[in-house]
Structures are given as C-alpha cells and as structure tokens.
Amino acid sequence: MTDEHLPGPPDGEPDPGRRRPRAAREQRATRPREPREPREPRVLRHADGTPIRIHAPELRPDPADIPSQDVSNWNIANVLTMLRIALVPLFGWLLLAKGGDDDAYRYGAFAVFFIASITDRIDGDIARARGLVTDFGKMMDPIADKALMGMALIGLSLIDRVPWWVTVVILVREIGVTLLRLWVIKYGVLPASRGGKLKTFLQAIAIGLFVLPFGGVFVVVAWIVMAVALVITVATGVDYVFRALSLRRRPARA
C-alpha cells in the first residue's frame, strides 16, 4: 500500500507525523517555563528529633553528633583510648628525665607522644567504621586528650620550652570544658567537636616540635602552629559553652 492510500488524520487535527513549522518550534522554545516549587532540604535527625549537623564539602555528619550504639564499652576503640591515658605517665617521665637536657630521653618522649597521638586518630575512626561509638568512649576520648596535652604542656614549661602563660590559657580552657561536661551529664554527653579535634591536632604538632631537642626553624614553626592552635582553643571554648547551654534545654535523661 502506498502512502497516498494511508488514512490521514481527522479534519482539523494536526498530523502527528508532520514536523511543526520552524516558527512554531521557536515560539515553543522561547515560551517561559513555569517556576517549580523548591524542595525542602532533607534533614537528618537523632532519635529525639534534634538535627544532625552536616559539614560541606564532605557532607558527612559531625563526629560529635553520631549517636551512640548499643555495644559493650569493652571494645577495641575504647581500649586504644585507655592505652593513650596509660602512656601519659611514661611520656612525662621521659620528657622530664635529667631535667629535659638528655637528647635520648627527649627522643623517647617524642616517640611515646607520637604513638599516643596516633591512637587519638584511629580510635575514633575504628569506632565509627565498626559501629562501636559509645557514651563512655565519647566521654573518655577528650579526657585522654587533655591528660596527654596537659602533661606535655606542663612538662615543656618545667623545662623552659613553652612559657607558662601558654600552658595556663590552654589548661584553663580544657578544665572549663571538662566542668561543662560534668554540668550537663544529666542531659547528655558533650563530646569533642571537629573544632576541638582540629585544636588538638595543631597542639600535637606544635608540642611534638617543642619536645624534639631541636632549635632554629623547628622552634619558629612550632610557635606559628601553636599561635593558630591558641586562637582555635579560645574559639572552641566559647562554642562548648553554647553547646552546653543548648544541651541543658533538653529533658534530663532517666
């Protein structure tokens, strides 16, 4: 059957097989589209309804907001945290041995400090990756950090590597945050935030450089890093105050 014998469209209706004129196509292309209603962003929330903070560009939950899992406190992540606390006296003894003037002991102190600082990194990663986040771990992890950093700062001040005013500023902030945690313990756990972790990381770099028996450029770099850490230390201290006040507004835990 040829095309001329095929039935055409009914009278008055356009032929679907025939292309529209160019003018009609251009008119349709320039026709303004109706604006779409914006979609509300999806908000991740805890079981109690409070939102989980999301940080760009990674778009991952803040470690401080990860809910605790119903697992035993005796897990590998918490063991690493307690190991860090156990290394504090050994580090202090090596740092202060012979008045801090023996290079061999100073290298040993740096090695212990480095191992303890590594556990601070991997215990949190293990806890989040294996679902081992516990209230005990969120409480003890920042305490272990404070014990290690406190021993390091006091020891460095005793051997005249770091001025006492730096040690006092940092320790007052750390003790204040610890008291805030005790103040809100009935309402929830006030864990370490990203800013707190960054502060600890920068302090660890500066302290590690001060512990090593080097001078010159090492000391200059150590002071630059410590200056940045001091700014973040004060800023995050203020942030903890506001977070504690927000936590106190929640109902008390049973």
Side-chain angles (χ1 to χ4, degrees):
M1 181 180 295
T2 60
D3 292 343
E4 60 185 7
H5 293 93
L6 292 175
D11 295 340
E13 293 187 8
D15 186 352
R18 181 177 301 172
R19 298 186 62 184
R20 296 178 180 178
R22 178 178 298 179
R25 294 199 305 270
E26 292 178 353
Q27 182 180 5
R28 182 179 181 184
T30 57
R31 184 184 304 169
R33 296 183 179 181
E34 296 182 0
R36 297 182 180 180
E37 296 183 359
R39 296 182 179 180
E40 295 184 359
R42 182 182 178 186
V43 179
L44 300 178
R45 298 183 180 274
H46 294 294
D48 60 1
T50 57
I52 298 177
R53 295 193 299 273
I54 301 297
H55 295 260
E58 297 88 351
L59 298 181
R60 293 181 297 180
D62 190 319
D65 283 336
I66 297 178
S68 301
Q69 279 82 39
D70 187 15
V71 296
S72 171
N73 288 329
W74 294 102
N75 58 66
I76 182 62
N78 289 346
V79 168
L80 289 173
T81 300
M82 300 309 295
L83 173 63
R84 185 159 71 257
I85 295 177
L87 289 174
V88 171
L90 175 60
F91 165 72
W93 178 76
L94 290 170
L95 179 62
L96 299 176
K98 298 184 179 181
D101 296 327
D102 191 294
D103 289 356
Y105 282 102
R106 293 275 289 276
Y107 286 126
F110 175 81
V112 173
F113 182 79
F114 178 79
I115 294 171
S117 299
I118 290 296
T119 65
D120 180 39
R121 173 65 181 177
I122 63 178
D123 61 356
D125 290 343
I126 291 175
R128 290 185 289 272
R130 300 187 180 183
L132 300 176
V133 179
T134 63
D135 282 345
F136 177 81
K138 289 198 283 187
M139 173 65 73
M140 293 307 299
D141 181 70
I143 291 176
D145 295 340
K146 288 172 176 52
L148 179 63
M149 295 301 172
M151 180 69 256
L153 289 167
I154 292 173
L156 289 170
S157 293
L158 288 172
I159 63 175
D160 297 326
R161 291 284 283 181
V162 172
W164 277 105
W165 70 266
V166 174
T167 298
V168 170
V169 168
I170 294 176
L171 292 185
V172 166
R173 183 267 191 195
E174 302 302 335
I175 294 172
V177 171
T178 300
L179 293 177
L180 283 175
R181 287 193 169 97
L182 297 176
W183 185 52
V184 301
I185 193 66
K186 288 176 55 179
Y187 303 88
V189 175
L190 188 64
S193 64
R194 286 185 184 272
K197 288 292 185 181
L198 176 60
K199 175 267 305 177
T200 302
F201 174 72
L202 293 175
Q203 286 180 0
I205 293 177
I207 289 172
L209 293 174
F210 280 125
V211 168
L212 288 170
F214 300 147
V217 67
F218 283 89
V219 176
V220 174
V221 174
W223 270 116
I224 293 174
V225 178
M226 181 61 79
V228 177
L230 281 171
V231 173
I232 298 177
T233 295
V234 175
T236 53
V238 175
D239 176 66
Y240 275 115
V241 172
F242 285 103
R243 289 174 57 193
L245 293 174
S246 176
L247 193 59
R248 289 273 298 189
R249 298 189 186 101
R250 297 182 184 180
R253 299 187 298 182

